[in-house]
Structures are given as C-alpha cells and as structure tokens.
Amino acid sequence: MINSQNTLGAVFFIVLFIGAILMATVDSFEPVLVYIMSPPAFLIVLSFAGFTYIKKDKYQFDKLGSVFKKDMVFGGWMGFVTGVSLSLSRFDSLDNLLAGFGASLITVLYGYILGHMVDACWPKKA
C-alpha cells in the first residue's frame, strides 16, 4: 500500500534533519533535544489528522495524502495559537514570553514535516 521507496526517503529525511539540528549545536545535545522532542506538540498535530478520517468519504483514496498534509499543517498552526495563548496567560517577563513563543513553533514544524511525509508516502493512482 505504501511505496517502500517513499518510506525509505522519509526515514532518510528524518535522520538527516534531526542529525543536522543536533550537529548545529556542538557544545551540548541535551538542551536541543528538550526543545525539539515534544510529545504534546506531536499529539496535537496527529489529533488534527483525525479530521481527514472524518472527511474520508468525500475524497478519492489517492487524494487523501494531500488532505492529510493540509490537516496536519492546520494542526501545527492551531498548536502554535494554543501555545501562544498559554504563554500570554503566564506572562511575567519578556524572556519567559519569548521562550514560550519558541516552544509554540515546534507544533508548526511537526505539522509541516509530518504532513509532507504522509503526502510523499501516500500511494498515488497508477
């Protein structure tokens, strides 16, 4: 069902992308991993992919990959808006506010990466 070449390319991209980010911070890996690996952000993006399941009868099977991509990107932006609102609700200093905005951008990153990976790996009509 899923093209193995596309899946291999997606795994290759993930390894290179995370490796490049880790190599950019040579002095210490731990702080970067704390900011990049965010299970709540990952779950927010995946939860918005559930919209595709709701709409699955409206689209042909080979078109659902692009619908997944749009829904995951939308989920990333909604996660960003949620994170910004939470950061503003706990505003006590500018440093904390900027850190909250930075952490909120992780959902956008996940939305775009996961969305494009699903779209690239989704089987196309032959």
Side-chain angles (χ1 to χ4, degrees):
M1 184 167 156
I2 293 177
N3 188 348
S4 62
Q5 290 177 338
N6 291 347
T7 305
L8 181 63
V11 170
F12 186 69
F13 172 77
I14 290 171
V15 169
L16 284 180
F17 183 76
I18 292 174
I21 290 174
L22 292 177
M23 295 290 267
T25 58
V26 176
D27 40 339
S28 174
F29 289 124
E30 186 177 326
V32 174
L33 287 177
V34 170
Y35 291 118
I36 293 175
M37 303 300 177
S38 174
F42 186 74
L43 289 175
I44 288 172
V45 171
L46 285 182
S47 67
F48 275 84
F51 286 142
T52 307
Y53 182 76
I54 295 169
K55 302 183 281 189
K56 73 179 184 322
D57 296 333
K58 295 180 182 180
Y59 298 97
Q60 295 175 356
F61 181 76
D62 58 326
K63 303 292 182 198
L64 283 178
S66 63
V67 176
F68 262 116
K69 179 174 75 171
K70 290 176 189 174
D71 288 341
M72 286 183 169
V73 169
F74 178 66
W77 282 109
M78 289 297 101
F80 173 73
V81 170
T82 303
V84 166
S85 65
L86 290 173
S87 297
L88 288 173
S89 70
R90 292 184 250 150
F91 176 66
D92 58 351
S93 71
L94 187 59
D95 291 337
N96 290 343
L97 182 67
L98 292 177
F101 282 9
S104 299
L105 284 170
I106 294 296
T107 58
V108 177
L109 178 73
Y110 282 173
Y112 276 101
I113 289 175
L114 291 173
H116 283 279
M117 283 178 34
V118 167
D119 188 32
C121 295
W122 200 263
K124 306 294 183 209
K125 190 180 258 186

